[in-house]
Amino acid sequence: MKRRLAMMIAAAVAAAAITGCSGGGKAAPETTRAEQQAAESGSKDSVVVVMGVNSEPESGFDPAYGWGAGEHVHEPLIQSTLTVTTTDLKIDYDLATEMSCSEDGMTWTVKIRDDVKFTDGEKLTAKDVAFTYNTLKETSSVNDFTMLDHAEAADDTTVLFHMSKPYSIWPYTMAIVGIVPEHAYGADYGQHPIGSGRYIMKQWDKGQQVIFEANPDYYGEEPKMKQVTVLFMSEDAAFAAAKSGQVDLAYTAAAYSDQTVKGYSLKSYETVDNRGFNMPAVRSGLSNEDGVPPGNDVTSDLDLRRAVNIGINREEMIQNVLNGHGTPAYSVCDKMPWYNDAAKVDYDQEGALKLLEDAGWKIGNDGIREKDGVRAEFKLIYPSGDSVRQALAADTANQLKELGIQVEIEGQGWDTAYDSAQSEPLMWGWGAHTPMELYNIYHTIKDTGSAEYSPYYNESVDRYMDEALESDNLEESYELWKKAQWDGTTGITQDGDIPWIWLVNIDHLYWVRDGLQVADQKLHPHGHGWSIVNNVDQWSWE
């Protein structure tokens, strides 16, 4: 199966679209799974998967430029990692056989397997591990390695990570960094990667497809799927490809969830791919170091923020916007090991109205509240071209109007949205398999006195997160991350500062061919992409 497959599918999709629009003629029969497999490999050990066009790695399959990390965090498949995350998001081993952290948190010692070879036959040693991390620290445009001073190979099976500051959640970083061979790494590595993982990248037709084949010398359990073909298509084309029976699994959106596709079922997988908006928590009138004026005189009111958080009906929003395919979101880390249940709130419109009244936000003649001469109105920005976030923003505006809060929604490009979010709420998308997501959103940036994405500061929240990173025990650090959310007195939840309002976790939806058994999925992070194939080696056909 060469470049021809992608071209044939594109032609079939185009034909299906033409037939569907013409209103006449007899549709071509759908290709059966048996016919397709006979054409491809003659056995039930291959699968064709469709992902969105944005899932194709622009810079290739090089960990230094986002493969395995960045916007679409996933296991890199063609490279091994030191650790992996389990279905409950705890840490397990891949290349590593044991690891420990010094009491001061400044040195991680990791022992690795001695039976691993790269696909060119060369043995993988700790020197390759050290080379990978040192290279990424110097060159990566995606990964954050400011916490790492340097990596050192103590011997062939021992690597030492010398940290520039304590970083207890380092094992989560090690779960997404693919190890590259020092002897075969160069400027074109991303186009022709050599790894030691479950699969070998055999072919990449840019803009169309990438083909992986099982690594015959893989040190772990032999993959059930010997060939994995990933096609990159728009949502419309992915749906048409499923309808024409040309693919085995295709991503889709909630807008298609009320459709039926012969020979396929719609599968829904839970995520921590959340949507929510920031509420600038300081008053206006200042200017930050970049000259951007932060703050908002409406959203800076704590009682108003608390009223908004309990005054939004998340379940209704899931039905209205996501056709029922989502779960309520109460934090950026729902269901993670470091999630604090104190973040959860019940929908309480009456309670929200009382909060506003008691806080002095009184209804005006036009139905909009006012306090001390300030109208309860603000702009809610969404990224232009994102129909789901636009719909969530519109639903939010409609619901808050019932509370007497006027919200104007506006689409903006990311070139201006980041700055706008310093003074107006913005509909964001977040969610990752690391507590650093909390840190990045809520922790004060050094020398600025404010968090990065929205003006907010809480010394106690900062301290808990700093202590969590400085812990020499990963699992014990989870409790500190929870305290940063709420310690009984202060935090970022409803009874605390509530500087962000979280709305929904968006289910990731796929059309799956009948008979294909997709292995159990862990919670998908932000990005409807590569996470679905994290364990494609364990998939099977009935």
Side-chain angles (χ1 to χ4, degrees), residues 43-227:
S43 61
K44 290 190 173 184
D45 58 5
S46 63
V47 67
V48 179
V49 177
V50 182
M51 294 183 192
V53 292
N54 291 331
S55 292
E56 184 173 25
E58 292 183 10
S59 301
F61 299 84
D62 186 340
Y65 300 103
W67 175 243
E71 187 73 9
H72 305 290
V73 179
H74 59 89
E75 296 171 15
L77 289 180
I78 53 179
Q79 292 108 1
S80 302
T81 55
L82 292 174
T83 62
V84 292
T85 50
T86 62
T87 53
D88 60 355
L89 280 304
K90 300 294 182 64
I91 293 294
D92 202 354
Y93 293 143
D94 183 6
L95 283 180
T97 58
E98 60 181 90
M99 63 181 174
S100 61
C101 181
S102 61
E103 288 189 9
D104 62 2
M106 296 298 287
T107 305
W108 283 86
T109 302
V110 180
K111 300 287 289 186
I112 66 170
R113 302 173 64 119
D114 64 357
D115 60 345
V116 179
K117 291 184 178 180
F118 289 107
T119 52
D120 63 357
E122 294 291 325
K123 188 171 183 178
L124 185 155
T125 72
K127 290 182 179 179
D128 296 296
V129 177
F131 170 79
T132 297
Y133 279 81
N134 289 331
T135 298
L136 265 63
K137 176 179 172 56
E138 295 300 321
T139 65
S140 180
S141 58
V142 175
N143 307 72
D144 176 16
F145 282 112
T146 55
M147 77 296 291
L148 176 67
D149 185 78
H150 70 282
E152 171 194 359
D155 56 45
D156 281 354
T157 59
T158 308
V159 60
L160 304 177
F161 294 105
H162 301 284
M163 313 304 286
S164 58
K165 58 183 178 182
Y167 197 69
S168 65
I169 57 176
W170 183 243
Y172 284 98
T173 299
M174 294 192 287
I176 59 172
V177 175
I179 304 304
V180 303
E182 181 175 12
H183 67 274
Y185 186 81
D188 65 343
Y189 175 84
Q191 317 304 312
H192 308 284
I194 292 173
S196 59
R198 293 162 281 171
Y199 289 93
I200 302 168
M201 194 201 80
K202 296 297 291 186
Q203 181 177 325
W204 181 19
D205 302 317
K206 292 184 180 180
Q208 296 186 62
Q209 68 177 6
V210 61
I211 300 173
F212 301 99
E213 291 186 358
N215 179 359
D217 298 318
Y218 180 56
Y219 51 89
E221 182 178 347
E222 182 180 355
K224 294 178 181 178
M225 287 294 171
K226 303 304 182 187
Q227 185 179 80

Side-chain angles (χ1 to χ4, degrees), residues 264-284:
Y264 293 77
S265 59
L266 183 69
K267 300 292 186 182
S268 177
Y269 297 101
E270 288 194 0
T271 76
V272 65
D273 190 355
N274 43 58
R275 300 293 181 271
F277 54 92
N278 63 301
M279 296 281 274
V282 302
R283 294 182 65 84
S284 62

Side-chain angles (χ1 to χ4, degrees), residues 3-17:
R3 186 184 188 92
R4 185 163 51 101
L5 175 61
M7 296 177 68
M8 288 174 64
I9 291 178
V13 168

Side-chain angles (χ1 to χ4, degrees), residues 218-291:
Y218 180 56
Y219 51 89
E221 182 178 347
E222 182 180 355
K224 294 178 181 178
M225 287 294 171
K226 303 304 182 187
Q227 185 179 80
V228 180
T229 301
V230 177
L231 308 177
F232 304 108
M233 295 181 174
S234 68
E235 286 181 1
D236 289 346
F239 182 61
K243 289 195 70 173
S244 64
Q246 299 295 312
V247 298
D248 300 313
L249 181 145
Y251 86 108
T252 193
Y256 294 92
S257 62
D258 57 353
Q259 302 292 310
T260 58
V261 179
K262 183 181 178 182
Y264 293 77
S265 59
L266 183 69
K267 300 292 186 182
S268 177
Y269 297 101
E270 288 194 0
T271 76
V272 65
D273 190 355
N274 43 58
R275 300 293 181 271
F277 54 92
N278 63 301
M279 296 281 274
V282 302
R283 294 182 65 84
S284 62
L286 302 174
S287 181
N288 65 20
E289 59 182 3
D290 298 320

